[in-house]
Amino acid sequence: MSTLKIAVQKSGRLNEDSIKLLKNCGIRIENGKDQLKASAANFPLDVLYLRNGDIPQYVEDGVADIAIVGENLLVETGNDVEVVRKLGFSKCKLSLAVPKDTNYPGPEFFEGKKIATSYPNTVKQYMEKVGVKTEVHVIKGSVEIAPNIGLAEGICDLVSSGSTLFKNGLVEKDIILQSEAVLVKNKNLTAEQEELLETILFRLDAVQKGEKSKYVLMNAPNDKVDEIIKVLPGMKSPTVVPLAEEGWSSVHTVMEESKFWEVIDQLKGAGAEGLLIVPIEKMVL
């Protein structure tokens, strides 16, 4: 039987979320400390723990069949791999930042100046796009320190909360790339490997739909049930269950959390009472 090899970050912000995602998909991985390879106990999957920057090349070369990486890394490396699914976690921005008291009119500020970054290819592509000629200084460590020591007039780095920029007296200016974790694959998987990947994607869909949705229960007078059902944006027809108290029913449905907040006032106005919102672990349609 064929086995699928997935590469994940050995350590860092993507590691825990990647392993958690596999666990939520029902894949049990039992690995020891500092182990570089582990096999799933209940699915034909081997997990390779690799240095983040090496992962796209390993997937392109076929050493790993699939991988979880950040979009920003794919843009930077330019490796020939296929993005299968956006995963919705590890969201961040690749942004230009300058010292807080700098008069910054736009990217043209960097004309003839230096930018410190760990993403030279992405920065060069962006600057070419906006028609600005700049000098890119590559740093593989704490990029934020560069303006303070006179190494560059500004930086381009990943930004999540912005706290690191603030601590170093920098201000975020232009976002050049929005990024999140993605699932990628080698373009030459066998038919068996593609089938295994489809199984993972099926499970992943169930997990992601569950995360975005909520199970909603509410009580309603029987003469208000039809009006309430018209308001509900949930899946198919809701379930209506008679309550012990005569003249009342319980209405059950599933809806996206964002839509619930859009209609809650309408539901209450239509006569719904005692609304209860319950998390959904997984949802299979």
Side-chain angles (χ1 to χ4, degrees):
M1 185 177 182
S2 182
T3 299
L4 205 59
K5 299 186 293 293
I6 181 170
V8 301
Q9 191 179 54
K10 181 181 178 182
S11 61
R13 62 191 180 89
L14 275 177
N15 175 271
E16 289 185 8
D17 285 336
S18 299
I19 299 304
K20 179 182 177 182
L21 180 63
L22 293 176
K23 180 180 179 181
N24 288 341
C25 288
I27 299 173
R28 191 170 72 252
I29 302 161
E30 299 173 356
N31 63 300
K33 187 178 180 181
D34 299 325
Q35 194 170 343
L36 298 180
K37 179 181 177 182
S39 297
N42 59 345
F43 194 86
L45 184 76
D46 289 336
V47 182
L48 309 179
Y49 297 94
L50 304 174
R51 196 175 72 86
N52 192 50
D54 296 334
I55 291 177
Q57 188 62 56
Y58 277 123
V59 176
E60 181 179 331
D61 292 342
V63 176
D65 303 310
I66 60 176
I68 296 176
V69 294
E71 285 180 288
N72 57 289
L73 182 59
L74 294 181
V75 173
E76 177 62 24
T77 61
N79 287 101
D80 188 22
V81 299
E82 182 179 335
V83 175
V84 179
R85 188 69 50 85
K86 292 192 175 187
L87 300 176
F89 59 83
S90 292
K91 292 186 177 182
C92 59
K93 303 166 287 184
L94 188 62
S95 300
L96 296 172
V98 295
K100 61 182 180 180
D101 295 327
T102 302
N103 179 18
Y104 184 87
E108 61 270 22
F109 166 81
F110 287 105
E111 182 70 39
K113 295 184 175 71
K114 294 180 181 179
I115 300 178
T117 185
S118 299
Y119 299 89
N121 295 328
T122 307
V123 172
K124 289 174 183 176
Q125 291 171 20
Y126 177 78
M127 288 302 172
E128 287 176 3
K129 180 181 177 181
V130 298
V132 174
K133 293 183 179 179
T134 186
E135 183 179 338
V136 177
H137 194 99
V138 182
I139 294 181
K140 293 297 183 182
S142 300
V143 175
E144 296 84 2
I145 198 174
N148 293 328
I149 61 176
L151 189 62
E153 282 79 11
I155 70 167
C156 184
D157 201 19
L158 291 179
V159 178
S160 293
S161 66
S163 61
T164 304
L165 293 179
F166 178 78
K167 291 175 184 177
N168 287 275
L170 302 176
V171 179
E172 181 183 15
K173 291 298 182 180
D174 290 303
I175 299 171
I176 71 173
L177 178 69
Q178 297 276 7
S179 176
E180 66 181 90
V182 293
L183 180 66
V184 300
K185 72 170 186 175
N186 176 275
K187 292 185 174 181
N188 299 306
L189 297 185
T190 66
E192 285 186 333
Q193 290 172 328
E194 288 283 4
E195 189 173 339
L196 290 174
L197 177 56
E198 284 301 316
T199 300
I200 293 176
L201 291 175
F202 175 80
R203 297 184 183 188
L204 178 58
D205 283 340
V207 171
Q208 291 185 320
K209 287 170 183 172
E211 290 173 345
K212 294 177 182 178
S213 302
K214 293 290 182 284
Y215 191 78
V216 181
L217 305 86
M218 66 201 80
N219 295 334
N222 288 342
D223 60 352
K224 296 289 186 179
V225 169
D226 289 342
E227 185 179 348
I228 288 172
I229 289 175
K230 290 178 182 178
V231 175
L232 293 174
M235 1 173 353
K236 298 184 180 179
S237 177
T239 301
V240 179
V241 181
L243 293 178
E245 184 176 347
E246 188 175 348
W248 283 79
S249 294
S250 178
V251 181
H252 300 208
T253 191
V254 173
M255 68 176 77
E256 290 185 18
E257 185 174 17
S258 59
K259 291 183 179 179
F260 170 78
W261 294 113
E262 293 173 4
V263 301
I264 183 172
D265 290 333
Q266 291 176 262
L267 290 171
K268 292 172 66 178
E273 297 182 9
L275 284 89
L276 179 64
I277 301 93
V278 183
I280 297 174
E281 185 174 319
K282 298 173 184 67
M283 188 166 73
V284 180
L285 299 179

